[in-house]
Amino acid sequence: MIEYDPVLYSRLLTGLTLAYHVIFATIGVGIPLMIALAEWIGIKRDDEHYRLLARRWARGFVITVAIGVVTGTAIGLQLSLLWPNFMQVAGHVISLPMFMETFAFFFEAIFLGIYLYTWDRFKNKMSHFLLLIPVVIGASLSGFFITTVNAFMNAPAGFEMENGVITNINPLAAMFNPATPTKVAHVLSSAYLTSAFVLAAIAAYSLLKGKDHVYHKKALHLTMTVAAVFAVATAIIGDFSGKYLAEYQPEKLAAAEWHFETSAQAPLVLGGILDDEGNVRYALEIPYALSILAHGDPNAEVIGLEEFNQDELPPLIVHYFFDAMVGIGMFLAFVSIAYVVLQRFRKRNEHNRLLLWGILLGGPLSILAIQMGWFFAELGRQPWILNGYMTTAEGATTSPHVDLMLYLFILLYIILTVSCITVLRRMFKSNPVEHELKTRGIE
Amino acid sequence: MDYELIGITVLWTFLYGYLIVASIDFGAGFFSYFSSVTGREHLVNKVINRYLSPVWEVTNVFLVFFFIGIVGFFPSTAYYYGTALLIPGSIAIVLLALRGSYYAFHHYGEKGSGFYQFLYGATGLLIPASLSVVLTISEGGFLVVTGDHLYLDYGALFTNFYSWTVVILAIVSVLYISACFLTFYAYKARDMDAYKVLRGYALFWSVPTIMASILVFLALNQHNPVHFEKMLDLAWMFTLSFIFFVAAVYLIWKEKRFGLSFIFVMLQFATAFYGYGASHLPYLLYPHLTIYDGFTNETMAITLIIVFIAGLFLLIPSLYLLMRLFLFDNQYVQGKK
């Protein structure tokens, strides 16, 4: 057993809750957009298949929203329960975006409730569709506001610190800190990408199982087109994020790339392992690539880990997370672009089994990439909770029993996961598409 | 009025909002389970679900609003309450999580099991009990503060008479508020079978509610005489509360004007709740923390208030629309939509 240390257990519990929440939060941001697209296309083309798609996605979505809501409530409270010292200091600045996030969520919750219960209530189909707009806006705004809080913790701005007390606050400067643009853009774009892939994986699964109804093909077409757009966007934004890191958090980028010594024409290290002596082995080095990633210039100088205090370095394990995230991102881009190209130029070929398998795999992989990305971002700013101002240890609670709470929440998340999967499976198994197409008289 | 007072008034209002909407929800869960155990499920569940389904998520937001807002206006509460409430807070989170998700599993998924319904009913009573701990410790006497450390004295908490009266009041008033609302809703739905059962619940729970209220008064006198004195200064508010209570129960008894009677119920709790809150001032946590200690900086206070007002412009029309569609639309309430 590990010795009881409230800081360690607070970190583990926060990490667990966030890792669990982020799965549901990510699809919570992205899926409303997909539902809206499907319903809109359905109305515009007068195609009931798309409307059914929206309806069935929405039905499954509610189950995941429920878990997103309750785990979101959990992390909201846990911030004060596990990090009271941090909240007492930073609460002076981050309360504004958190407050706004609650408003956005409130807005979304109201309209989602209405949307779900008014499918056949309005004469004009468009009225029902319009209810989704506040849901999409609310979901994305929630993502926006809460990401600014995280960005603030990475790049604190808009205040002065005097003897441990925050003064001279500029709330807008704090919200729109240097990390905000790239972080928010990356979070939103990857959320849309992930949601599209998760939904595409469902369609691909049906097609692989030999259900060749046009409904599944339409689902695949819509989701893959969206995925291709956001895969490209995510990659471009990822590049901007690299340049941001090089300028504002060079230690994070250096740790991700195992870049120890400051040098020009820095190579990018792919894969590999780090042995006990600190030598990188089995890695693939791409010359100049890190300099290009960091500054857009192959001859640029990239700051190495040697420039920082030993006790302020992020753990070097983040390299694996970074590589996994980027690797999966590339894979998703490849698969979705391949689909679009085949669909455009070699009609029908887009349903070959290899590609379908790739799409199916892309669903869980995209979620994994989200996890890897967040692990990289969060572990990469250790030992700071408020970068450069407050260490994680200073922010944590001093309460006893944080370990017990960790076990309690592990149990909770296991129960929620099992129930969620059971309910979703039962929901769609007992009412397959083919059946619902008939009962609604769409066939 | 200074910013501290505006801040606490805003937050108190949200807590009051949560008290009402969550009570309806928690009580409904209990009644729904209780009636299925006693074989009356078919009578009341339809009415309960018609109301709850579209609003369960909104209920939760009131609570989030409160605890995010209080850290915003009064960051020091995070230090005191956050450190002390790790265990009760975590238990409340787990209960809320189970409740929220199982509601969705039960109602949107394929017909859920009796176990889900039991969870839903049981958490409906346990959550108010666990949340009421916050109000209890705000009266002081349970928190041990020594230098850099502070912790909650569970021995004192569990053996204290006052803390138990608060728990009892929380539970019975949940059942009372919920039954009064559902009576109104069932009557509006012209669902006379459900209405009869629910009216019985409302009348039944009115007696323990008023008795528990009186008990809390007496216990507070023992536990925190300073606060009790200040409550006596606001005696008119509590008298008013009692009059609203009598009026509400009278209308339900006489079987007329159920809408008005529920408004009386809301006023009954509003007067008592604001009276309690006002007399507790300036303390957030007696005697360690007042609304003037560790208040957020002025810039943030102004910004929060502006955002709050802007947010209301968005929320009020939306909530109005929600109520128009699901609460005041007779066609929907009666199950024709």
Side-chain angles (χ1 to χ4, degrees):
Chain A
M1 281 271 57
I2 333 167
E3 198 185 331
Y4 177 74
D5 168 17
V7 180
L8 174 67
Y9 281 102
S10 295
R11 287 183 61 195
L12 288 174
L13 180 48
T14 309
L16 174 72
T17 301
L18 279 172
Y20 194 73
H21 175 65
V22 82
I23 299 173
F24 299 93
T26 301
I27 58 178
V29 168
I31 289 186
L33 180 73
M34 300 302 301
I35 298 175
L37 281 173
E39 193 171 356
W40 189 66
I41 295 175
I43 295 170
K44 283 287 147 196
R45 296 192 192 159
D46 198 17
D47 184 337
E48 282 299 314
H49 287 140
Y50 280 102
R51 288 196 82 221
L52 183 63
L53 206 53
R55 195 190 276 255
R56 286 175 69 88
W57 282 345
R59 223 182 282 147
F61 179 60
V62 197
I63 303 295
T64 64
V65 165
I67 300 188
V69 170
V70 298
T71 52
T73 310
I75 191 62
L77 263 168
Q78 273 179 355
L79 275 181
S80 297
L81 295 175
L82 298 172
W83 308 98
N85 298 303
F86 164 70
M87 288 301 277
Q88 183 175 23
V89 174
H92 289 272
V93 187
I94 61 175
S95 51
L96 178 71
M98 288 180 77
F99 204 54
M100 290 164 99
E101 198 262 356
T102 323
F103 267 115
F105 174 54
F106 211 146
F107 195 48
E108 181 194 345
I110 290 173
F111 282 92
L112 185 64
I114 300 178
Y115 177 79
L116 291 170
Y117 275 83
T118 48
W119 268 98
D120 299 308
R121 209 167 143 176
F122 301 106
K123 282 203 183 68
N124 186 348
K125 287 175 185 169
M126 218 50 191
S127 317
H128 185 246
F129 167 76
L130 288 177
L131 289 168
L132 256 188
I133 297 198
V135 178
V136 174
I137 293 175
S140 296
L141 274 183
S142 301
F144 169 75
F145 288 127
I146 210 65
T147 309
T148 67
V149 175
N150 182 270
F152 173 79
M153 290 161 81
N154 275 283
F159 69 96
E160 280 161 33
M161 189 81 116
E162 281 173 16
N163 307 320
V165 180
I166 278 180
T167 54
N168 214 355
I169 291 165
N170 179 347
L172 287 178
M175 254 177 85
F176 295 95
N177 58 71
T180 296
T182 43
K183 254 200 193 274
V184 167
H186 197 63
V187 163
L188 291 180
S189 159
S190 60
Y192 300 136
L193 171 62
T194 302
S195 304
F197 251 99
V198 167
L199 296 172
I202 299 172
Y205 178 74
S206 302
L207 288 169
L208 276 171
K209 272 183 67 183
K211 301 181 178 177
D212 60 348
H213 197 283
V214 63
Y215 169 91
H216 303 299
K217 291 175 184 163
K218 285 176 179 170
L220 200 65
H221 178 60
L222 171 59
T223 50
M224 274 294 107
T225 311
V226 172
V229 171
F230 284 107
V232 173
T234 308
I236 295 172
I237 297 161
D239 183 57
F240 283 126
S241 305
K243 292 180 173 44
Y244 157 80
L245 284 181
E247 189 165 351
Y248 291 91
Q249 278 178 291
E251 73 278 19
K252 200 186 217 174
L253 186 68
E257 282 306 325
W258 289 344
H259 184 62
F260 299 99
E261 283 153 32
T262 302
S263 62
Q265 304 177 352
L268 192 70
V269 179
L270 279 186
I273 54 166
L274 200 62
D275 66 15
D276 293 338
E277 281 95 54
N279 298 314
V280 179
R281 297 210 186 168
Y282 316 119
L284 182 68
E285 286 196 10
I286 306 177
Y288 307 112
L290 184 57
S291 289
I292 297 175
L293 175 70
H295 303 286
D297 167 9
N299 293 314
E301 187 179 77
V302 181
I303 298 171
L305 286 169
E306 59 176 4
E307 312 262 338
F308 301 92
N309 283 338
Q310 281 301 311
D311 51 358
E312 289 178 5
L313 288 187
L316 293 175
I317 189 178
V318 295
H319 173 72
Y320 303 112
F321 301 138
F322 183 76
D323 275 9
M325 169 185 79
V326 175
I328 295 173
M330 292 296 156
F331 173 77
L332 298 179
F334 175 75
V335 169
S336 53
I337 292 170
Y339 173 91
V340 172
V341 171
L342 284 178
Q343 207 269 336
R344 274 277 142 110
F345 302 107
R346 306 263 317 262
K347 269 285 174 205
R348 302 286 161 234
N349 233 344
E350 73 270 21
H351 297 125
N352 75 67
R353 294 186 73 82
L354 189 64
L355 189 59
L356 288 178
W357 270 105
I359 296 171
L360 177 59
L361 208 61
L365 278 182
S366 61
I367 302 262
L368 186 68
I370 295 283
Q371 296 289 359
M372 293 296 106
W374 276 112
F375 273 108
F376 161 60
E378 294 306 278
L379 283 177
R381 72 181 153 97
Q382 290 306 318
W384 302 107
I385 191 168
L386 199 53
N387 202 8
Y389 289 94
M390 186 187 228
T391 63
T392 308
E394 290 165 340
T397 183
T398 49
S399 297
H401 310 304
V402 186
D403 49 346
L404 278 180
M405 297 302 110
L406 174 66
Y407 305 133
L408 179 71
F409 279 94
I410 290 176
L411 192 67
L412 171 72
Y413 299 141
I414 292 175
I415 295 175
L416 287 182
T417 309
V418 172
S419 313
C420 176
I421 294 173
T422 319
V423 169
L424 282 176
R425 276 178 61 101
R426 229 190 283 157
M427 193 176 203
F428 290 103
K429 276 234 153 115
S430 68
N431 187 12
V433 182
E434 292 72 16
H435 180 250
E436 195 168 1
L437 285 166
K438 281 204 190 77
T439 48
R440 290 193 186 281
I442 296 171
E443 285 301 83
Chain B
M1 203 147 88
D2 43 11
Y3 294 127
E4 288 87 349
L5 267 180
I6 297 177
I8 194 66
T9 310
V10 164
L11 293 172
W12 204 243
T13 304
F14 265 93
L15 199 57
Y16 170 73
Y18 183 66
L19 178 105
I20 298 293
V21 291
S23 291
I24 295 175
D25 182 15
F26 294 148
F30 176 78
F31 291 132
S32 162
Y33 177 68
F34 178 72
S35 56
S36 65
V37 170
T38 54
R40 279 177 288 190
E41 185 177 14
H42 57 289
L43 293 181
V44 297
N45 270 8
K46 219 169 80 194
V47 160
I48 290 178
N49 290 336
R50 278 200 90 69
Y51 166 73
L52 281 184
S53 301
V55 302
W56 68 271
E57 224 186 324
V58 175
T59 308
N60 210 37
V61 194
F62 274 93
L63 178 66
V64 180
F65 229 115
F66 175 75
F67 68 69
I68 294 295
I70 194 161
V71 176
F73 280 108
F74 309 100
S76 291
T77 53
Y79 172 67
Y80 282 93
Y81 284 106
T83 309
L85 290 173
L86 177 70
I87 293 179
S90 298
I91 292 175
I93 296 173
V94 170
L95 292 171
L96 282 167
L98 287 175
R99 183 181 171 79
S101 47
Y102 277 86
Y103 182 79
F105 296 163
H106 185 68
H107 292 277
Y108 302 95
E110 276 308 297
K111 280 300 133 220
S113 64
F115 174 68
Y116 289 4
Q117 209 177 14
F118 165 75
L119 259 184
Y120 192 60
T123 50
L125 296 189
L126 291 173
I127 294 170
S130 69
L131 289 180
S132 67
V133 174
V134 183
L135 287 183
T136 309
I137 72 163
S138 78
E139 291 297 339
F142 304 106
L143 215 55
V144 183
V145 183
T146 51
D148 272 354
H149 276 273
L150 70 104
Y151 61 91
L152 184 58
D153 183 347
Y154 287 97
L157 186 68
F158 284 113
T159 53
N160 185 280
F161 179 59
Y162 174 70
S163 67
W164 286 106
T165 56
V166 173
V167 169
I168 294 169
L169 178 63
I171 294 175
V172 295
S173 44
V174 157
L175 294 173
Y176 166 70
I177 294 172
S178 185
C180 291
F181 174 80
L182 292 170
T183 307
F184 154 69
Y185 201 70
Y187 187 78
K188 206 173 150 68
R190 297 268 169 267
D191 187 340
M192 297 326 264
D193 295 328
Y195 156 74
K196 271 181 213 143
V197 176
L198 292 164
R199 175 174 171 268
Y201 292 160
L203 291 174
F204 178 84
W205 287 107
S206 65
V207 181
T209 299
I210 204 68
M211 301 217 337
S213 310
I214 296 167
L215 206 61
V216 164
F217 252 108
L218 299 177
L220 186 65
N221 184 19
Q222 252 179 23
H223 185 79
N224 185 345
V226 182
H227 186 189
F228 184 77
E229 282 302 315
K230 284 204 269 176
M231 277 172 95
L232 287 186
D233 295 340
L234 289 173
W236 64 272
M237 291 187 84
F238 299 96
T239 315
L240 212 56
S241 174
F242 184 73
I243 294 170
F244 286 130
F245 166 76
V246 173
V249 175
Y250 175 79
L251 287 177
I252 295 176
W253 179 257
K254 286 285 173 195
E255 303 195 48
K256 52 186 176 191
R257 321 267 325 252
F258 291 101
L260 184 63
S261 104
F262 189 69
I263 290 175
F264 283 145
V265 172
M266 281 171 51
L267 288 171
Q268 173 199 339
F269 280 88
T271 42
F273 192 72
Y274 281 94
Y276 170 83
S279 58
H280 198 290
L281 287 178
Y283 290 103
L284 286 168
L285 175 61
Y286 182 85
H288 305 291
L289 187 62
T290 69
I291 57 171
Y292 300 99
D293 314 326
F295 183 65
T296 189
N297 57 90
E298 195 169 307
T299 331
M300 197 45 114
I302 298 169
T303 323
L304 283 178
I305 291 168
I306 293 172
V307 167
F308 176 75
I309 293 168
L312 282 187
F313 275 104
L314 201 66
L315 282 188
I316 290 172
S318 317
L319 278 173
Y320 174 73
L321 180 66
L322 184 73
M323 292 203 275
R324 267 281 311 263
L325 287 170
F326 298 106
L327 201 55
F328 300 120
D329 184 322
N330 281 327
Q331 297 272 336
Y332 172 80
V333 176
Q334 291 169 19
K336 290 174 191 155
K337 268 186 182 167

